[in-house]
Each structure stands twice: as C-alpha cells, then as structure tokens.
Amino acid sequence: DIQMTQSPSSLSASVGDRVTITCRASQSISSFLNWYQQKPGRAPTLLIYTASTLFDGVPSRFSGSGSGTDFTLTISSLQPEDFATYYCQQSYITPITFGPGTTVDVK
Amino acid sequence: EVQLVESGGGLVKPGGSLRLSCVVSGFTFSNYSMNWVRQAPGKGLEWVSSISRSSIYIFYADSVQGRFTVSRDNAKNSLYLQMNSLRAEDTAVYFCAGGSEYWGQGALVTVSS
C-alpha cells in the first residue's frame, strides 16, 4: 500500500498569512494527488486534483504543485473561512490512501 | 444542484448488519465511479470501497474485504453498501462520493453492544 504523510500535522496562522502544507507518498504516484478541505461536522470538499488543477469554484488563493512523491498545497493569503483540516489523497492505485491531515487553526 | 444523500445508518450490535444507501442528483451518476469513505470519531479519512461506472471493477479496503459489499443501480441513481459482521472499529461516519468531486454529508454507523 502507498503511505501518505503530511507535514506539519497542525499549524497556527493569522489571516493574510501564506500557508504551505506538504504531502509525501511512499512511492511515485505521478500526479494522481488530490487535496481536500474539511471543516468540523462537514464532508470533505475537493480543492485540487491531479496535483495542481483547481476544482470548480475554489478560490485562486489555493494552489498545488508537485509530482512523483512530493507535493505542496499553498494558501497564498489565509482567509477566515480557510481554518480547517486539509487532507491529501492518492488516487494512483487502490487501496486509495489519505494523508493523516493538517489542521490550520487561529494563531 | 449536486446532492448526495446517504441513509441507513444507525446503531447496531457487533456482528450485525446494515445497508447504506446514497441517492444522487445533479450530475450524471452513470458517468462516475463511486466511492465510500469513512471517518471514525475524531480521526482522519479512510477509503472503504470503489465501484466503476458499470460495476465491472470493484475494490475494497482490506479492513472490510469479505464483510462489505458495494453495488449501484444506475437507473435509480443510487449507490449501496451492505455491511455485514460489523465490528466496533467500523464505527464511523460513512460518506459516499462521486469520483473525487462530489460528497454526501455522511451517515453515522455506530457498532456497540
């Protein structure tokens, strides 16, 4: 199985900050990497697919990069509605696996 | 408007069974592979099962293989998850998802005596 790791596991930030979250796969997954945002009590929502493509309606302050084993999610200027948990997911091969999540909270 | 509505969750004793349903509207169900993903209380996301558009390809996580069965009815825009031999560790919110894009709000399954 492909193991997904994320760093950091949590971070504290302020509105307007630039935030970067890293995701690493235990083997190459090409660009089969998705990023999700989840708020408490809610379903995950897709932010980015195939590593760098913004899903419909997602603000342009979100961006993704990477391929192979190393990937990054960047929020260029954190907004109040962005405090949430972020998960990466590989869809390269089953079993589909998620990273453990990164929680972004208020500094 | 895209909607995925799960139903069938509830409290069940260890060893018992439940059947989850997910009814879809707002996108062409038959064009999407469908997935079940679960989230135990306070934990991260865990993929459970996937089924291809025409049900030819079906995959399960090792943790549910042999106990859970996924199916779909494209005529009814519906996805199902039959869960047998339930264990305490199956306690979670179960989400249905259309591809990666569309997610339901989840159905809570609690396995407890």
Side-chain angles (χ1 to χ4, degrees), chain A residues 18-54:
Chain A
R18 182 180 181 88
V19 169
T20 299
I21 299 168
T22 297
C23 175
R24 176 165 289 175
S26 60
Q27 65 187 75
S28 177
I29 58 170
S30 184
S31 295
F32 291 91
L33 190 283
N34 301 322
W35 288 100
Y36 298 89
Q37 177 192 71
Q38 188 181 32
K39 297 180 180 179
R42 306 292 298 273
T45 59
L46 180 65
L47 295 174
I48 288 169
Y49 61 97
T50 58
S52 60
T53 306
L54 213 59

Side-chain angles (χ1 to χ4, degrees), chain B residues 8-81:
Chain B
L11 174 64
V12 62
K13 289 181 168 54
S17 298
L18 277 178
R19 188 191 195 212
L20 301 182
S21 299
C22 172
V23 179
V24 163
S25 60
F27 66 95
T28 305
F29 179 73
S30 58
N31 286 352
Y32 282 75
S33 62
M34 296 296 295
N35 306 285
W36 288 101
V37 174
R38 68 185 180 183
Q39 187 168 37
K43 302 298 185 182
L45 300 168
E46 179 189 15
W47 170 77
V48 173
S49 181
S50 296
I51 183 168
S52 63
R53 292 176 292 177
S54 57
S55 306
I56 291 175
Y57 302 105
I58 290 176
F59 304 97
Y60 298 99
D62 286 347
S63 57
V64 307
Q65 179 78 49
R67 300 187 299 124
F68 289 12
T69 303
V70 65
S71 61
R72 66 188 293 164
D73 185 336
N74 287 345
K76 295 183 177 180
N77 286 352
S78 294
L79 175 72
Y80 307 100
L81 186 67

Side-chain angles (χ1 to χ4, degrees), chain B residues 77-99:
Chain B
N77 286 352
S78 294
L79 175 72
Y80 307 100
L81 186 67
Q82 177 67 43
M83 303 185 293
N84 298 331
S85 303
L86 283 161
R87 307 167 179 166
E89 54 265 34
D90 295 320
T91 294
V93 174
Y94 285 73
F95 298 102
C96 67

Side-chain angles (χ1 to χ4, degrees), chain A residues 13-19 75-80 83:
Chain A
S14 301
V15 172
D17 285 353
R18 182 180 181 88
V19 169
I75 310 172
S76 60
S77 178
L78 196 69
Q79 297 303 299
F83 293 102

